[in-house]
Amino acid sequence: MLKYLGNVGFNRLDDLNGMYAFAFYSKSENKLYFSRDRLGKKPLYVTIEGISIRWSSTVESLESPNTPNVISDEALVQYLSLGYLIDPTCTKSNNFAVKPGEILCVDLVTSQVVTSIISSPKIENGGDTLRGSSLREVIANSVEDRVFGHNKVAISLSGGVDSSIVAIEVAKKSGNAFAFTARWSDSDKERYNFDADVAERVCSKLNLKIEQVEMIKASELVSELTKFLTTLQEPNNNPSGVSMLRLYSRIAESGHRLALTGDGSDEIFGGYARHTAVSRVRNILNIGAGSLITKSFADVHESRTPLYRRAIGTQISPASPFSWLQWHWIFTPREIVHIFNEKSVGTMASVLLAKSVLDLDKKDHHKNPESLMRRDHEIWLAMESNRKLDRISMHYSIEARSPFQDDRVVGWANSYMKSNKYKRLSKEVLWREYPELSDLGVRKDKAGFTSPVGHWLRSNPNLVKSSLDYLSRDNRFNKGGLNFYRDAPQRGQYRELMQLWTLVVLATWLQIEK
């Protein structure tokens, strides 16, 4: 493939439909090219130190024994703000990630990056090849391509719309498919088992074999969190990752090497409540992206702010990075000020995050109302969800594939959404194309793959205390600000619980890296 690309030029990357990451050396130019797939399903990291250029699919293999194990300020602000890192940022400032869809060129004479472009796939309007195709046909073809040649297929089945559609299609194409779902015997709320109950019914009606995988007990949290962060090689505050570790471990033990997931559907079909809220209040306001009111609105935002108020805030300027960020803060810039000694860090958080989001814009398409969905697709899906899935699945030598992230499916969704002016959200079209979902008992109020974070924290007071004590010894943090979160498990406010969990994850990761 690399020889072929070298002969015809990198413009042919636009035609690739799949996941990849590679380095290509052009002898005639004496240049080194790096590239990743458009949704960041496969990782690629680079370090340039003088005339030395190193690259790898893992960060740890690039680490030098002379590099201090201190997370950079930029990475720290990104993590506390969002719960993960935005490419190209890495935890250490001397490493960087090739961005999804990027073609990066390094001149080997100067060891400098001389060109960085983002490939532009021909899928914006569905493409000529999709004309006349139904969504069901496109999804069926996507699934078929991913199971071809495999006599054993695992399905990560949550019981929601997306993974149930994958199960419907796999059941037709593979006689040896096996579903795996999560069961929480040790949890404080029965709702964590709703998914497993639905998944059982779906598989019973589709005649698929299924196993309910027992998730971790609260007493196992410390060891499992350590294993999760060691696997990811960077901090990530999504508690579902800890649970996925156990799920994929069991899939591997069962002898499977291919697993299909429903990841990516929400981002292209408007499956989140925020997408619907934004579409309902669009065009109410029209204030410039750089205005002070936009930044002021974003800075005072709290995640507990009513949905409609956040939706109106997004309309102030859809092109502004704050219109996306205000839906994703873990700690807002104002809240970060309270846990740091350096008060200017709040301003730094705003500036750095806004710049990071704008740097990822591939073209001038972040306009109302699709801007929120686009950025969810290009940032959150690529840099949080896909990164986490790849690290965990590959840790167990499993190829995890997501049919909804096929270019044909994304192209069909883009065309459909545009033709309906982004009014038909909540994955309405999926329910129409797959009417049997209702007969299978799939729930429309699916909440996603969740984990009992509150129960974990309440059951591990020593972990909470030791984590906050550890961060307090870092002179960047304010001890008084951190102390506020010591009682968060008892107060039971979800936002505070997630902020505390974010701090616990950070402290655990820092101690692993020490």
Side-chain angles (χ1 to χ4, degrees), residues 111-334:
S111 294
Q112 298 291 319
V113 175
V114 292
T115 306
S116 171
I117 62 172
I118 299 294
S119 64
S120 301
K122 302 159 187 171
I123 60 172
E124 286 301 304
N125 294 305
D128 293 337
T129 59
L130 299 182
R131 296 189 189 282
S133 299
S134 71
L135 176 59
R136 186 161 188 146
E137 291 173 320
V138 174
I139 293 175
N141 290 336
S142 176
V143 170
E144 185 171 10
D145 286 349
R146 282 159 177 76
V147 302
F148 179 76
H150 291 266
N151 56 15
K152 289 185 69 174
V153 181
I155 306 167
S156 176
L157 184 60
S158 68
V161 176
D162 313 318
S163 60
S164 294
I165 287 175
V166 172
I168 290 170
E169 295 297 344
V170 172
K172 297 175 186 175
K173 296 171 174 48
S174 175
N176 194 16
F178 207 113
F180 294 83
T181 193
R183 168 65 65 177
W184 297 93
S185 294
D186 180 39
S187 64
D188 56 346
K189 295 181 178 64
E190 185 55 32
R191 64 182 173 85
Y192 292 108
N193 291 313
F194 288 168
D195 283 353
D197 295 338
V198 173
E200 282 278 359
R201 291 198 298 270
V202 168
C203 287
S204 175
K205 294 183 179 182
L206 291 176
N207 198 29
L208 284 173
K209 297 182 287 291
I210 184 171
E211 178 180 339
Q212 294 191 5
V213 181
E214 191 61 46
M215 293 290 101
I216 73 167
K217 298 174 182 173
S219 59
E220 301 173 292
L221 178 61
V222 175
S223 61
E224 290 296 308
L225 177 58
T226 300
K227 188 187 302 182
F228 167 63
L229 293 174
T230 301
T231 300
L232 256 67
Q233 303 173 22
E234 64 184 22
N236 179 296
N237 83 329
N238 193 329
S240 70
V242 181
S243 308
M244 287 170 63
L245 204 67
R246 182 64 58 90
L247 187 72
Y248 277 85
S249 172
R250 179 62 197 127
I251 293 174
E253 287 174 1
S254 68
H256 288 86
R257 289 296 173 261
L258 172 65
L260 265 58
T261 81
D263 293 9
S265 174
D266 286 303
E267 290 78 13
I268 61 172
F269 289 109
Y272 296 117
R274 57 182 175 269
H275 298 154
T276 305
V278 166
S279 70
R280 288 177 179 171
V281 300
R282 63 191 179 198
N283 299 324
I284 292 177
L285 298 172
N286 184 20
I287 300 175
S291 68
L292 289 175
I293 191 169
T294 301
K295 294 184 175 64
S296 299
F297 196 102
D299 282 347
V300 300
H301 162 73
E302 304 286 349
S303 285
R304 55 179 169 265
T305 301
L307 196 68
Y308 73 88
R309 185 173 182 272
R310 277 189 278 166
I312 291 174
T314 302
Q315 305 311 293
I316 289 176
S317 178
S320 167
F322 293 105
S323 68
W324 178 80
L325 284 166
Q326 68 167 316
W327 295 94
H328 291 269
W329 298 120
I330 301 298
F331 288 91
T332 67
R334 184 165 294 185

Side-chain angles (χ1 to χ4, degrees), residues 451-472:
S451 301
V453 175
H455 175 58
W456 286 350
L457 293 172
R458 283 187 287 273
S459 301
N460 287 276
N462 290 336
L463 175 62
V464 171
K465 180 180 183 303
S466 64
S467 297
L468 294 179
D469 287 346
Y470 184 84
L471 293 179
S472 295

